[in-house]
mmCIF file of all heavy atoms in Angstrom:
data_model
loop_
_atom_site.group_PDB
_atom_site.id
_atom_site.type_symbol
_atom_site.label_atom_id
_atom_site.label_comp_id
_atom_site.label_asym_id
_atom_site.label_seq_id
_atom_site.Cartn_x
_atom_site.Cartn_y
_atom_site.Cartn_z
ATOM 1 N N GLY A 1 -255.713 2.061 -50.542
ATOM 2 C CA GLY A 1 -254.452 1.374 -50.116
ATOM 3 C C GLY A 1 -254.135 1.660 -48.704
ATOM 4 O O GLY A 1 -254.638 2.544 -48.126
ATOM 5 N N HIS A 2 -253.241 0.776 -48.179
ATOM 6 C CA HIS A 2 -252.729 1.062 -46.849
ATOM 7 C C HIS A 2 -251.469 1.763 -47.095
ATOM 8 O O HIS A 2 -250.421 1.222 -47.465
ATOM 9 C CB HIS A 2 -252.468 -0.265 -46.112
ATOM 10 C CG HIS A 2 -253.753 -0.852 -45.590
ATOM 11 N ND1 HIS A 2 -253.812 -2.128 -44.992
ATOM 12 C CD2 HIS A 2 -255.011 -0.406 -45.506
ATOM 13 C CE1 HIS A 2 -254.958 -2.387 -44.560
ATOM 14 N NE2 HIS A 2 -255.760 -1.342 -44.896
ATOM 15 N N VAL A 3 -251.454 3.052 -46.832
ATOM 16 C CA VAL A 3 -250.333 3.932 -47.023
ATOM 17 C C VAL A 3 -249.845 4.453 -45.753
ATOM 18 O O VAL A 3 -250.503 4.550 -44.722
ATOM 19 C CB VAL A 3 -250.621 5.201 -47.961
ATOM 20 C CG1 VAL A 3 -251.099 4.765 -49.321
ATOM 21 C CG2 VAL A 3 -251.812 6.050 -47.271
ATOM 22 N N PRO A 4 -248.491 4.675 -45.576
ATOM 23 C CA PRO A 4 -247.946 5.174 -44.319
ATOM 24 C C PRO A 4 -248.449 6.534 -43.988
ATOM 25 O O PRO A 4 -248.622 7.357 -44.930
ATOM 26 C CB PRO A 4 -246.393 5.268 -44.602
ATOM 27 C CG PRO A 4 -246.190 4.845 -45.957
ATOM 28 C CD PRO A 4 -247.449 4.485 -46.637
ATOM 29 N N PHE A 5 -248.807 6.856 -42.713
ATOM 30 C CA PHE A 5 -249.407 8.123 -42.447
ATOM 31 C C PHE A 5 -248.704 8.789 -41.360
ATOM 32 O O PHE A 5 -249.017 9.915 -41.011
ATOM 33 C CB PHE A 5 -250.975 7.954 -42.240
ATOM 34 C CG PHE A 5 -251.278 6.992 -41.147
ATOM 35 C CD1 PHE A 5 -251.238 7.341 -39.838
ATOM 36 C CD2 PHE A 5 -251.632 5.706 -41.503
ATOM 37 C CE1 PHE A 5 -251.591 6.436 -38.830
ATOM 38 C CE2 PHE A 5 -251.996 4.777 -40.478
ATOM 39 C CZ PHE A 5 -251.975 5.150 -39.229
ATOM 40 N N GLY A 6 -247.807 8.115 -40.620
ATOM 41 C CA GLY A 6 -247.131 8.749 -39.546
ATOM 42 C C GLY A 6 -248.165 9.123 -38.433
ATOM 43 O O GLY A 6 -249.174 8.455 -38.228
ATOM 44 N N ASP A 7 -247.898 10.186 -37.675
ATOM 45 C CA ASP A 7 -248.850 10.670 -36.717
ATOM 46 C C ASP A 7 -249.994 11.406 -37.249
ATOM 47 O O ASP A 7 -249.815 12.189 -38.193
ATOM 48 C CB ASP A 7 -248.092 11.593 -35.710
ATOM 49 C CG ASP A 7 -247.021 10.865 -34.921
ATOM 50 O OD1 ASP A 7 -247.157 9.697 -34.643
ATOM 51 O OD2 ASP A 7 -246.016 11.443 -34.606
ATOM 52 N N ALA A 8 -251.166 11.179 -36.756
ATOM 53 C CA ALA A 8 -252.340 11.947 -37.131
ATOM 54 C C ALA A 8 -252.297 13.313 -36.404
ATOM 55 O O ALA A 8 -252.778 13.459 -35.325
ATOM 56 C CB ALA A 8 -253.643 11.206 -36.798
ATOM 57 N N SER A 9 -251.596 14.254 -37.032
ATOM 58 C CA SER A 9 -251.333 15.565 -36.393
ATOM 59 C C SER A 9 -252.476 16.494 -36.480
ATOM 60 O O SER A 9 -253.445 16.199 -37.095
ATOM 61 C CB SER A 9 -250.035 16.195 -37.077
ATOM 62 O OG SER A 9 -250.424 16.480 -38.465
ATOM 63 N N ASP A 10 -252.289 17.594 -35.794
ATOM 64 C CA ASP A 10 -253.245 18.707 -35.873
ATOM 65 C C ASP A 10 -253.523 19.133 -37.309
ATOM 66 O O ASP A 10 -254.632 19.451 -37.795
ATOM 67 C CB ASP A 10 -252.818 19.924 -35.101
ATOM 68 C CG ASP A 10 -252.937 19.590 -33.544
ATOM 69 O OD1 ASP A 10 -253.598 18.649 -33.145
ATOM 70 O OD2 ASP A 10 -252.276 20.356 -32.817
ATOM 71 N N ALA A 11 -252.436 19.182 -38.172
ATOM 72 C CA ALA A 11 -252.589 19.610 -39.556
ATOM 73 C C ALA A 11 -253.385 18.622 -40.323
ATOM 74 O O ALA A 11 -254.296 18.898 -41.132
ATOM 75 C CB ALA A 11 -251.197 19.704 -40.209
ATOM 76 N N PHE A 12 -253.261 17.302 -39.981
ATOM 77 C CA PHE A 12 -254.028 16.298 -40.642
ATOM 78 C C PHE A 12 -255.433 16.407 -40.237
ATOM 79 O O PHE A 12 -256.381 16.364 -41.051
ATOM 80 C CB PHE A 12 -253.519 14.836 -40.329
ATOM 81 C CG PHE A 12 -254.312 13.833 -40.887
ATOM 82 C CD1 PHE A 12 -254.192 13.446 -42.232
ATOM 83 C CD2 PHE A 12 -255.371 13.195 -40.123
ATOM 84 C CE1 PHE A 12 -255.031 12.412 -42.717
ATOM 85 C CE2 PHE A 12 -256.219 12.264 -40.608
ATOM 86 C CZ PHE A 12 -256.080 11.850 -41.934
ATOM 87 N N ALA A 13 -255.701 16.609 -38.972
ATOM 88 C CA ALA A 13 -257.098 16.776 -38.412
ATOM 89 C C ALA A 13 -257.771 17.932 -39.167
ATOM 90 O O ALA A 13 -258.927 17.926 -39.514
ATOM 91 C CB ALA A 13 -257.145 16.954 -36.963
ATOM 92 N N GLU A 14 -257.010 19.065 -39.251
ATOM 93 C CA GLU A 14 -257.523 20.255 -39.972
ATOM 94 C C GLU A 14 -257.883 19.945 -41.440
ATOM 95 O O GLU A 14 -258.909 20.417 -41.940
ATOM 96 C CB GLU A 14 -256.592 21.437 -39.869
ATOM 97 C CG GLU A 14 -257.099 22.726 -40.427
ATOM 98 C CD GLU A 14 -258.312 23.323 -39.642
ATOM 99 O OE1 GLU A 14 -258.451 22.978 -38.439
ATOM 100 O OE2 GLU A 14 -259.053 24.083 -40.232
ATOM 101 N N MET A 15 -257.037 19.157 -42.072
ATOM 102 C CA MET A 15 -257.292 18.855 -43.500
ATOM 103 C C MET A 15 -258.588 17.937 -43.552
ATOM 104 O O MET A 15 -259.415 18.189 -44.469
ATOM 105 C CB MET A 15 -256.137 17.961 -44.058
ATOM 106 C CG MET A 15 -256.364 17.643 -45.543
ATOM 107 S SD MET A 15 -255.057 16.697 -46.321
ATOM 108 C CE MET A 15 -255.391 15.065 -45.652
ATOM 109 N N MET A 16 -258.825 17.081 -42.623
ATOM 110 C CA MET A 16 -260.031 16.256 -42.588
ATOM 111 C C MET A 16 -261.298 17.152 -42.435
ATOM 112 O O MET A 16 -262.238 17.024 -43.113
ATOM 113 C CB MET A 16 -259.974 15.143 -41.483
ATOM 114 C CG MET A 16 -258.995 14.142 -41.599
ATOM 115 S SD MET A 16 -259.486 12.968 -42.921
ATOM 116 C CE MET A 16 -258.197 13.359 -44.179
ATOM 117 N N VAL A 17 -261.141 18.135 -41.477
ATOM 118 C CA VAL A 17 -262.267 19.105 -41.312
ATOM 119 C C VAL A 17 -262.519 19.877 -42.621
ATOM 120 O O VAL A 17 -263.673 20.006 -43.059
ATOM 121 C CB VAL A 17 -261.991 20.125 -40.115
ATOM 122 C CG1 VAL A 17 -263.008 21.187 -40.166
ATOM 123 C CG2 VAL A 17 -262.007 19.324 -38.793
ATOM 124 N N ASP A 18 -261.493 20.346 -43.263
ATOM 125 C CA ASP A 18 -261.626 21.123 -44.522
ATOM 126 C C ASP A 18 -262.313 20.257 -45.606
ATOM 127 O O ASP A 18 -263.125 20.679 -46.363
ATOM 128 C CB ASP A 18 -260.237 21.659 -44.935
ATOM 129 C CG ASP A 18 -259.727 22.741 -44.091
ATOM 130 O OD1 ASP A 18 -260.418 23.306 -43.262
ATOM 131 O OD2 ASP A 18 -258.523 23.069 -44.253
ATOM 132 N N LEU A 19 -261.893 18.957 -45.638
ATOM 133 C CA LEU A 19 -262.421 18.084 -46.718
ATOM 134 C C LEU A 19 -263.914 17.889 -46.455
ATOM 135 O O LEU A 19 -264.743 17.920 -47.353
ATOM 136 C CB LEU A 19 -261.743 16.752 -46.624
ATOM 137 C CG LEU A 19 -260.303 16.656 -47.254
ATOM 138 C CD1 LEU A 19 -259.597 15.398 -46.914
ATOM 139 C CD2 LEU A 19 -260.471 16.805 -48.795
ATOM 140 N N LEU A 20 -264.389 17.671 -45.187
ATOM 141 C CA LEU A 20 -265.701 17.448 -44.823
ATOM 142 C C LEU A 20 -266.521 18.738 -45.173
ATOM 143 O O LEU A 20 -267.567 18.710 -45.724
ATOM 144 C CB LEU A 20 -265.931 17.076 -43.364
ATOM 145 C CG LEU A 20 -265.408 15.690 -43.000
ATOM 146 C CD1 LEU A 20 -265.370 15.545 -41.503
ATOM 147 C CD2 LEU A 20 -266.359 14.585 -43.656
ATOM 148 N N GLU A 21 -265.960 19.891 -44.778
ATOM 149 C CA GLU A 21 -266.695 21.177 -45.012
ATOM 150 C C GLU A 21 -266.770 21.414 -46.499
ATOM 151 O O GLU A 21 -267.854 21.848 -46.996
ATOM 152 C CB GLU A 21 -265.908 22.262 -44.403
ATOM 153 C CG GLU A 21 -266.601 23.589 -44.404
ATOM 154 C CD GLU A 21 -265.927 24.753 -43.724
ATOM 155 O OE1 GLU A 21 -264.667 24.708 -43.698
ATOM 156 O OE2 GLU A 21 -266.531 25.648 -43.281
ATOM 157 N N GLY A 22 -265.762 21.081 -47.306
ATOM 158 C CA GLY A 22 -265.818 21.229 -48.715
ATOM 159 C C GLY A 22 -266.792 20.308 -49.356
ATOM 160 O O GLY A 22 -267.269 20.585 -50.491
ATOM 161 N N HIS A 23 -267.210 19.277 -48.683
ATOM 162 C CA HIS A 23 -268.253 18.361 -49.149
ATOM 163 C C HIS A 23 -269.680 18.832 -48.752
ATOM 164 O O HIS A 23 -270.623 18.123 -49.020
ATOM 165 C CB HIS A 23 -267.992 16.927 -48.575
ATOM 166 C CG HIS A 23 -268.686 15.822 -49.243
ATOM 167 N ND1 HIS A 23 -268.346 15.369 -50.497
ATOM 168 C CD2 HIS A 23 -269.709 15.052 -48.852
ATOM 169 C CE1 HIS A 23 -269.135 14.390 -50.840
ATOM 170 N NE2 HIS A 23 -269.979 14.153 -49.855
ATOM 171 N N GLY A 24 -269.716 19.994 -48.051
ATOM 172 C CA GLY A 24 -270.998 20.567 -47.721
ATOM 173 C C GLY A 24 -271.432 20.297 -46.321
ATOM 174 O O GLY A 24 -272.570 20.653 -45.892
ATOM 175 N N ILE A 25 -270.605 19.737 -45.502
ATOM 176 C CA ILE A 25 -270.940 19.431 -44.035
ATOM 177 C C ILE A 25 -270.513 20.697 -43.244
ATOM 178 O O ILE A 25 -269.475 21.246 -43.379
ATOM 179 C CB ILE A 25 -270.249 18.209 -43.603
ATOM 180 C CG1 ILE A 25 -270.691 16.995 -44.360
ATOM 181 C CG2 ILE A 25 -270.343 18.008 -42.069
ATOM 182 C CD1 ILE A 25 -269.945 15.726 -44.167
ATOM 183 N N ASP A 26 -271.359 21.143 -42.415
ATOM 184 C CA ASP A 26 -271.215 22.264 -41.535
ATOM 185 C C ASP A 26 -269.874 22.081 -40.746
ATOM 186 O O ASP A 26 -269.541 20.993 -40.299
ATOM 187 C CB ASP A 26 -272.422 22.355 -40.501
ATOM 188 C CG ASP A 26 -272.233 23.528 -39.576
ATOM 189 O OD1 ASP A 26 -272.488 24.676 -40.027
ATOM 190 O OD2 ASP A 26 -271.852 23.306 -38.444
ATOM 191 N N ARG A 27 -269.126 23.179 -40.622
ATOM 192 C CA ARG A 27 -267.840 23.095 -40.032
ATOM 193 C C ARG A 27 -267.887 22.572 -38.578
ATOM 194 O O ARG A 27 -266.975 21.823 -38.173
ATOM 195 C CB ARG A 27 -267.048 24.492 -40.082
ATOM 196 C CG ARG A 27 -265.666 24.376 -39.522
ATOM 197 C CD ARG A 27 -264.845 25.540 -40.025
ATOM 198 N NE ARG A 27 -263.404 25.290 -39.715
ATOM 199 C CZ ARG A 27 -262.640 24.679 -40.538
ATOM 200 N NH1 ARG A 27 -262.944 24.259 -41.715
ATOM 201 N NH2 ARG A 27 -261.296 24.476 -40.235
ATOM 202 N N ASP A 28 -268.838 23.068 -37.747
ATOM 203 C CA ASP A 28 -268.936 22.583 -36.375
ATOM 204 C C ASP A 28 -269.168 21.065 -36.366
ATOM 205 O O ASP A 28 -268.607 20.376 -35.559
ATOM 206 C CB ASP A 28 -270.075 23.221 -35.621
ATOM 207 C CG ASP A 28 -269.744 24.718 -35.338
ATOM 208 O OD1 ASP A 28 -268.504 25.085 -35.338
ATOM 209 O OD2 ASP A 28 -270.643 25.491 -35.137
ATOM 210 N N VAL A 29 -270.039 20.538 -37.251
ATOM 211 C CA VAL A 29 -270.261 19.099 -37.317
ATOM 212 C C VAL A 29 -268.982 18.344 -37.779
ATOM 213 O O VAL A 29 -268.670 17.353 -37.211
ATOM 214 C CB VAL A 29 -271.494 18.804 -38.345
ATOM 215 C CG1 VAL A 29 -271.591 17.251 -38.561
ATOM 216 C CG2 VAL A 29 -272.765 19.429 -37.791
ATOM 217 N N ALA A 30 -268.289 18.939 -38.726
ATOM 218 C CA ALA A 30 -267.041 18.360 -39.227
ATOM 219 C C ALA A 30 -266.091 18.328 -38.066
ATOM 220 O O ALA A 30 -265.377 17.217 -37.910
ATOM 221 C CB ALA A 30 -266.536 19.144 -40.380
ATOM 222 N N GLU A 31 -265.873 19.402 -37.322
ATOM 223 C CA GLU A 31 -264.919 19.330 -36.199
ATOM 224 C C GLU A 31 -265.258 18.301 -35.104
ATOM 225 O O GLU A 31 -264.357 17.644 -34.626
ATOM 226 C CB GLU A 31 -264.855 20.753 -35.614
ATOM 227 C CG GLU A 31 -264.122 21.737 -36.541
ATOM 228 C CD GLU A 31 -264.174 23.164 -35.962
ATOM 229 O OE1 GLU A 31 -264.962 23.465 -35.095
ATOM 230 O OE2 GLU A 31 -263.404 24.000 -36.505
ATOM 231 N N ASP A 32 -266.542 18.231 -34.841
ATOM 232 C CA ASP A 32 -266.999 17.247 -33.877
ATOM 233 C C ASP A 32 -266.704 15.762 -34.418
ATOM 234 O O ASP A 32 -266.197 14.967 -33.636
ATOM 235 C CB ASP A 32 -268.503 17.344 -33.556
ATOM 236 C CG ASP A 32 -268.860 18.595 -32.748
ATOM 237 O OD1 ASP A 32 -267.943 19.225 -32.205
ATOM 238 O OD2 ASP A 32 -269.999 18.969 -32.707
#
């Protein structure tokens, strides 16, 4: 769905990195 997301903040970026890392992607690769 198209949900409201406000600003893509640092906390959101960190959540994305954590999700990728939790999926087995190396943290450095996820951060990049």
